[in-house]
Amino acid sequence: MSDFFRKLFRPITATLDFIQTYFKSLLFLLVLLILLAPAGSESVKPPNLATLTLTGPIVDAQKTLRRIEELARDEKIKGVLMIVDSPGGSVAPSVEIALAVKRLNAKKPVVAYAAGTMASGSYYAAIWAEKIVANPAATIGSIGVIMEGFNIRPLMEKVGVEPQVVKAGKYKEAGTPLRRWTPYERAEIQEHVMDIYQMFVRDVARARHLDADHPETFADAKIFIAEKAQKVGLVDMVGSIAKARKETEKLANVQEPRWQEKSQWERYLENLAESSARAFAAQLRGWIIR
């Protein structure tokens, strides 16, 4: 019976053993590095330039908005480089970020850099930057709107499930996955999508000084490589992130560019967390294999 319980609780005891064995060592190294870290290695002068990153699908804007507000309040920061690598996402968060970038750019210049993908919602988020610079291989554009849904009625019929719906309002069930959309529901959804698309086109045209009456040249959900995006007016320059940094420094008009970097302490903590996570994952794989 004792062998049974030992095997049953082996993952828990192994986890505790791992923490006891490695955590003390890591803590000791951490204290040692703090004590031995050279004093005065970092610049006495505060940074005057900063970066803002927008990566991955845009689902929630709160983290990005907090960072933008922080940069707007910091009077020492004279210019911001917004690094974008995102396929886009939800409409409202993308618009919220775009408006926040517009407010920030009114206080201090913002340069947006398309590091990989700046498309759909992420392009919307960057349109009010003072300048847009794109990596030569970046994908730009996809100025369009899509709404998708499922019709799971055939599956429900196979498993013998029948929905029951009580509603008030002709369009209340528009977009339902429980059946095929009616023609009037589809038309209503299409109108809603077109309203958002026209807002998207209008805002891009205003921000980028393009002709909103001819969106077929820059919109229609087309995607462009950086050079073509520049030709149609979606970006200002093509180049590396070094070029984007130089442009930020130029627009910020700083004599001694000093970029806001993570401190040695913050970098160490990040590396420590990553190393610990990798070690723990390796240990966990060992338990599973055994």
Side-chain angles (χ1 to χ4, degrees):
M1 181 64 73
S2 59
D3 288 340
F4 169 77
F5 282 108
R6 273 198 296 272
K7 290 179 181 179
L8 179 64
F9 292 104
R10 185 176 181 181
I12 298 173
T13 55
T15 303
L16 294 173
D17 289 342
F18 171 80
I19 292 172
Q20 286 182 331
T21 303
Y22 293 99
F23 181 75
K24 292 177 182 178
S25 301
L26 291 171
L27 187 60
F28 172 75
L29 288 173
L30 178 60
V31 173
L32 192 63
L33 279 173
I34 294 171
L35 294 174
L36 298 179
S41 60
E42 296 182 8
S43 173
V44 177
K45 294 182 179 180
N48 50 24
L49 298 165
T51 57
L52 165 69
T53 58
L54 182 61
T55 58
I58 301 172
V59 179
D60 179 67
Q62 293 309 307
K63 182 179 178 182
T64 303
L65 294 175
R66 282 195 298 270
R67 174 62 174 161
I68 292 173
E69 288 301 318
E70 175 187 303
L71 293 171
R73 288 193 303 267
D74 192 339
E75 295 182 358
K76 297 184 294 295
I77 298 299
K78 305 301 181 184
V80 177
L81 174 60
M82 179 181 181
I83 303 171
V84 181
D85 189 4
S86 164
S90 301
V91 176
S94 302
V95 174
E96 199 69 59
I97 295 171
L99 294 174
V101 169
K102 185 178 183 180
R103 293 192 298 272
L104 179 62
N105 190 60
K107 290 187 173 184
K108 55 196 72 177
V110 178
V111 173
Y113 179 66
T117 301
M118 185 189 280
S120 194
S122 72
Y123 184 78
Y124 206 148
I127 58 174
W128 292 107
E130 190 73 19
K131 297 286 183 182
I132 299 179
V133 183
N135 178 293
T139 299
I140 316 292
S142 189
I143 298 169
V145 183
I146 186 171
M147 179 176 175
E148 298 175 300
F150 296 95
N151 178 12
I152 63 171
R153 188 58 177 256
L155 176 62
M156 293 170 63
E157 289 174 351
K158 281 186 178 181
V159 297
V161 176
E162 184 177 351
Q164 298 183 96
V165 178
V166 176
K167 64 178 181 179
K170 179 180 179 180
Y171 296 100
K172 195 59 182 176
E173 208 180 357
T176 178
L178 302 181
R179 56 168 173 74
R180 186 183 297 277
W181 301 341
T182 65
Y184 70 82
E185 287 173 332
R186 180 175 290 275
E188 184 70 13
I189 293 170
Q190 182 64 52
E191 183 178 346
H192 179 66
V193 167
M194 286 304 299
D195 286 343
I196 298 172
Y197 175 66
Q198 287 164 7
M199 180 182 72
F200 196 172
V201 169
R202 183 186 67 240
D203 286 351
V204 170
R206 285 176 179 171
R208 300 295 306 166
H209 308 293
L210 301 173
D211 188 354
D213 293 329
H214 295 282
E216 67 279 359
T217 60
F218 62 89
D220 266 350
K222 294 177 183 176
I223 56 172
F224 305 91
I225 197 166
E227 187 177 349
K228 288 185 177 180
Q230 185 180 23
K231 287 179 180 177
V232 300
L234 294 182
V235 304
D236 299 292
M237 305 175 187
V238 177
S240 67
I241 193 168
K243 186 171 185 177
R245 287 169 73 97
K246 286 292 183 185
E247 187 64 20
T248 309
E249 294 167 5
K250 175 184 172 184
L251 292 172
N253 195 28
V254 291
Q255 300 303 316
E256 296 179 40
R258 295 183 301 277
W259 286 88
Q260 189 180 72
E261 304 287 352
K262 290 180 180 176
S263 67
Q264 184 179 359
W265 169 249
E266 288 174 315
R267 290 195 296 270
Y268 176 74
L269 284 180
E270 283 186 357
N271 292 335
L272 178 63
E274 290 174 4
S275 300
S276 300
R278 284 196 297 269
F280 185 75
Q283 187 74 13
L284 183 61
R285 284 196 296 271
W287 298 333
I288 294 172
I289 291 171
R290 287 199 296 268

